[in-house]
Amino acid sequence: MIALRAFTLFCLALAILCGPHTGLLPHDARDEGRAARISPDYSGITLPSNIAPLNFRISESGDRFLVSISSAHGKPIIIACRDGDIRIPEKKWRGLLVNNRGERLTIDVFSRERGKPWRRYTPLINRIAKEPIDPYMTYRSLHFLYNYSSDLRIHERHLESFREKTLLSTRNFYWGCVNCHTPESNDPRQTVLHTRSNAYGSATIIARDGALRKINAKLGYTAWRPGGSHIAFSTSRVRQCFHSTGKNPIDDYDLSSELFVYDVGKETIIDIPELCDEGLIQSWPAWSPDGTFLYFCRGPVLWTDFNEVPPDRFEELKCSLLRAQWNDAANTIGALDTVLSADSAGLSITQPRVSPDGRFILFCMHAYGPYPVTQRTSDLYLLDLETLAYRRLDVSSDESESWHGWSKNGRWIVFSSKRNSGIFTRLYFAHIDSLGFTSKPFVLPQKDPGFYQSYIRCFNVPELAIAAVPYTERKLIDAIRSPKAIQATIPRKRSVPEIKVDPSSEWGAPPVGGGE
Amino acid sequence: MRKSTDNVSSLPAGVKSHAEKVGRYGIPAVLFVFYFIYVLAYIDPAMIYSSNGFNLPSFIRYLHEKERNATVVHEPSRYSGDGYILECSPRYFRDLFSAPGGLTKLIVTLVIYSCNYSVIGAFVITGLAGLLFYLFLLVVRRDGGDMPSIVPAVPALVVLYIAHLYELDALAYVVPITGALAFIILFRRLSGSGNLRQAATLIVISWTSWYLLQWASLLLLAIVLLDALFIRRHRLPLLIAAGCNAGLFFLIEGRFLVLGDAVRAETFFARPWPPVILIAWFPLIILLGHLRPGSIFGALRARRNAPLTRLTTEFFLVTLLTAIVVTSARLNPVLRDVRAMARTVHHLQNKQWDEVLDDDFSTQFRNFPEKSGPLQRYLIHARDRCLAETGLLGEKMFSFPQATFSPEPLLLRQSLLDHGFPLWAAAAKLFMELGLVNYAEKTIGELMECMGPYPFLMWERSLLHLAKNNQQAASVYLKKLSAMPFYRKEARQLLAILGDSSAIAAHPRIEHLRSCMDTTDYYFLSCNEEGLLRHLLGANPKNRLAFDYLQAYYLMTGKAGKLIDEIRNAPSLGYTTLPRHWEEGICVYLTREDGNPADAAEHIARISPATFRRFDRFMQMYFSLEGDPSAAKKLGPLFGSTYYYFYSFESTYGEKR
């Protein structure tokens, strides 16, 4: 009996390897009349022709599984397994996708339980886009954080395969912090990165012209001016408060925030008085692709007591989207122009990112505050700069969406989303057409089909890149540890009081006995 | 020397060989039997497992440093562990073995996990020390002949000292040393006599040891270099191979690999001394053995007059050294406090309430309340928690040291701004029991970020998410836990019922969490202890733990009026009689100028006559001693465990029960 089974299995495997593939599929299978449940959900999506195999797990009962992946041209890929984990051979996958740009990609799923006939599920239909996605992506991985952070990592992923490398781990510079790594126009050869560490201080690393420079200033949320001459950045004093109920207890707010521009050539910080108003929170800079406009978000400071946690009326703060023309010769900005006001939108606008063709702005809108990542209400919106019309993108979910970016060709967006759990942020891609319509998003593919089911870290700050980062972790660490740094002073830096500690509850405090 | 050698040879052969056998096997046997019993009985490896990741020695060392110098800056990274967490998944092993030193990490992790069972843990620690002893004996015997047992006993006893730290991170130095010794023996066996073969063998073995045990290869090369310098005749090829290898290691480590701060030279030398001694010991002894013609140990042995005398001397030396190590570890104030904390961590984790109450912390509270800090705060918190869990908080809390009118040890809220992982963990556990679900989630999240993703933290996090009906988030933690030893079964059981909401609701922990969790939304950092507990009682008036803590809070802060107000809710929580401290609180309230007897009228009849009589006696004696600076000391033995003593003298009467 065992020998017979082994022989049958051997024949099946041999047939899969050598035979005419479609003939192998069980034609007498019973039709289930529904699509198979697979995880991650890779059905009804549009995928780039150069993406790594979309390995998935079949969440149906059975002890034999068969999957056929086919398109208009070329042989289908047939995969048989016992555990429901579908690992697609990379070479065959690449061939299938490259030969079928613009075509449909069909996934046929079959399952069988011992002693029962094969079951056939409704095919999963996807579309292969004509436009490729940038081949690389950098992103940050971290645990779901509250106040403290000690183990942050920046990774680079080759999107065409499963190759991944760690660009930076904070464990290598005394459990410091590493913030947004921003390449200039999807080109990682020019990158800016902010780090904080007890041992090495707060610094910014700028990668440019094949060299790494350390600036001893905290450049918060950054945006390269296309061409790489300037970096706009904010200096946010971010604070947290915590809710007693709800799925996600964290709320973030800025006590204050100003915007500055760093002149990369002159290695100086340019003071722009219009962007440093004490009564305003100004953050999230972004440049137009031609470098003429600086976009940013702005909201009023509604509190006077900076010691209060959280400050009064912080839940009423809503940011608007503004822009100003950049005067290159004088290093100044022109008159401020409100692109979309929070009053008219009724929500707070943050994280604007202009499309490479300059037509759209992709941004977040949420109930209040300057931080979309902790707001369940945060969704992605697209504003057409020609008509100034905006709409919520279908890629949004019930949970928070944030940290979005464009591919170099402007046909793909990447963003982080807390959908599914409200806790674990994952990275999603979606195709976006020339009119600004998006396809159903799909999660970053992983080699292990069950990867996301037990992965306890979060991903955020994805940045698509046209090439691999040319710096090794060792070089970045050396730059961070280096005592040599460019001195840059942030002008008009406001000091915000530290969080107040209730003295009556401190250890060894004077007795309060007798008082009611 | 000749004379003494003659003396030895003049002894009857039977006596000589018998004495040699006793010296060779008897002394180590006695040493390691004692070792095993001591580790099992005094240290208790189960406590090492419970303390895994808490970095107790670093934290206690910081506290002691702070006593001497109040300006010591708090650096979270100093307390972050290296994450000895075991997981049975392909991803875990791939990550582990994709970098040099993976085997070291795996072995240290396995040793720590073996400690979950005391006997196995004691056996493994003793076995590791024994292996170190034996391998060293083999390495040195080859060159220096026999040596006194005291020499290989030193590293074994350093391991014993390390066990007193209640964390085995330092084994990350012991394991490569042991491995290096094993590789030296292997090298000697395989290298043969040809120059080329020796060099080739050395290259293969040193790179293998580098990949498996990382810097062990340097120790291996150091010993091989010593060998080459002092023993081998054709040593040039070996010297060149060893030198080139060492150079390559430095090049790879220094130029291409990312050196974590944990393995950088300055961090290494800033570490406690045991690993440094361990590493230096072997080359030093081998060098000493080589420096003299023949063997220095042989000479040492030969100087002694007779095998029996030699045996006695060796036994005496080993015993003396063992006694020194054990005594110094037990008298070391840092290790003493580490032990107190480790024991408490273990007992709290395992809900051994009585053990905490019975433990003797008199050393830690010797100068209390003048000398008080996070350690005392933690111990008070632990005892209060144990009293609350056994329903005795209102009855006995002032029988133990309490902070001077500070509610901080009750919930440890300010301590969450401080880096003391045991304090955070204790607070998080209490928050969960009380129903402060999001506060617990936040605290556990901070712990997980700073300590690492330890399974006990993920387990609590999954329960919290399940209580909040976030099954998707819970399932991620549970899937991870389902590949982790000691949590597999429970995680798989929960995963199996994840889709069944009624089965989830029936899980005892989740049922408890849901029954007592907060229902109103507020910012918990802007709320004091009273506010938090009142919110909980608002959500569930039957939350007895919250009620007990609220009453304790009122006692601790001297708000006896509010205590009396709350007593009327006590019967609905199962109280049929008033706990002693509440009675004493009412007595205090009645004697206060602002005390209104009408407020307490309904409770006066419920106060036991014994309490009244004792209070009267106290008041008489108190007034008779008015102005006497030693009044507290005189009244302590009689009334030290009462609330009115605490109220009058602003402290409890020390570590008395």
Side-chain angles (χ1 to χ4, degrees), chain A residues 28-81:
Chain A
D28 56 344
R30 200 184 70 212
D31 202 342
E32 281 292 291
R34 62 173 177 88
R37 287 168 294 183
I38 63 166
S39 168
D41 180 7
Y42 290 135
S43 63
I45 60 170
T46 299
L47 62 153
S49 57
N50 58 336
I51 196 78
L54 303 182
N55 292 346
F56 60 87
R57 178 170 281 178
I58 301 170
S59 308
E60 299 289 349
S61 57
D63 58 358
R64 296 275 200 287
F65 297 92
L66 207 58
V67 165
S68 161
I69 304 169
S70 59
S71 191
H73 311 290
K75 284 181 183 175
I77 303 169
I78 295 179
I79 302 150
C81 67

Side-chain angles (χ1 to χ4, degrees), chain A residues 143-152 171-175 198 200 241-247 249 251 309-310 314-315 420-421 423-424 426 448 451-456 473-474 477 481 501-502 505-507 509 511-516, chain B residues 76-77 81 91 253-255 257-261 264 267 372-373 377 403 405 408-409 414 417 419 424 438 441-442 445-446 449 453 458 461 465 468 470 472-473 476-477 479-480 518 520-524 526 557 559-562 592 647 650:
Chain A
H143 286 124
F144 186 81
L145 293 184
Y146 298 86
N147 277 130
Y148 294 98
S149 66
S150 72
D151 184 12
L152 277 69
R171 305 217 98 176
N172 293 325
F173 53 100
Y174 279 106
W175 293 269
N198 285 345
Y200 308 108
C241 56
F242 302 94
H243 292 268
S244 60
T245 58
K247 201 188 249 186
D251 223 332
V309 181
F314 90 100
E315 286 171 313
N420 294 331
S421 67
I423 299 291
F424 300 105
R426 310 296 191 209
D448 174 7
F451 178 86
Y452 292 110
Q453 293 181 5
S454 62
Y455 192 69
I456 58 167
E473 186 178 10
R474 180 79 206 201
I477 292 284
R481 287 175 180 164
V501 175
D502 178 9
S505 56
E506 275 185 307
W507 178 249
V512 293
E516 284 291 322
Chain B
S77 58
R91 197 191 303 160
E253 294 270 357
R255 298 297 304 166
L257 287 185
V258 176
L259 279 187
D261 280 315
R264 298 177 80 204
T267 322
S372 56
R377 201 183 312 170
F405 289 105
E408 172 57 18
Q414 289 297 317
L417 301 173
H419 275 267
W424 293 11
N438 273 10
E441 191 189 328
K442 191 246 176 199
E446 304 285 26
E449 182 59 18
M458 285 196 280
R461 264 186 130 161
H465 285 305
K468 292 201 290 180
N470 188 352
Q472 282 156 319
V476 175
Y477 288 120
K479 285 248 169 66
K480 183 90 175 162
D518 257 333
T520 49
D521 191 26
Y522 57 91
Y523 296 106
F524 51 68
S526 56
T557 51
K559 294 176 180 172
K562 288 194 171 178
R592 264 174 28 187
Y647 190 83
E650 297 176 0

Side-chain angles (χ1 to χ4, degrees), chain B residues 224-297:
Chain B
V224 169
L225 276 172
L226 287 174
D227 263 9
L229 285 169
F230 292 102
I231 295 181
R232 316 230 169 202
R233 273 198 247 156
H234 306 292
R235 57 198 183 194
L236 195 62
L238 203 59
L239 274 173
I240 291 170
C244 288
N245 268 348
L248 270 174
F249 291 143
F250 276 113
L251 188 72
I252 288 174
E253 294 270 357
R255 298 297 304 166
F256 299 109
L257 287 185
V258 176
L259 279 187
D261 280 315
V263 293
R264 298 177 80 204
E266 56 262 45
T267 322
F268 172 69
F269 287 111
R271 273 183 174 261
W273 54 265
V276 182
I277 291 185
L278 267 182
I279 293 163
W281 184 251
F282 300 97
L284 181 76
I285 292 298
I286 290 166
L287 187 66
L288 280 175
H290 285 311
L291 282 177
R292 302 292 294 266
S295 160
I296 194 165
F297 306 118

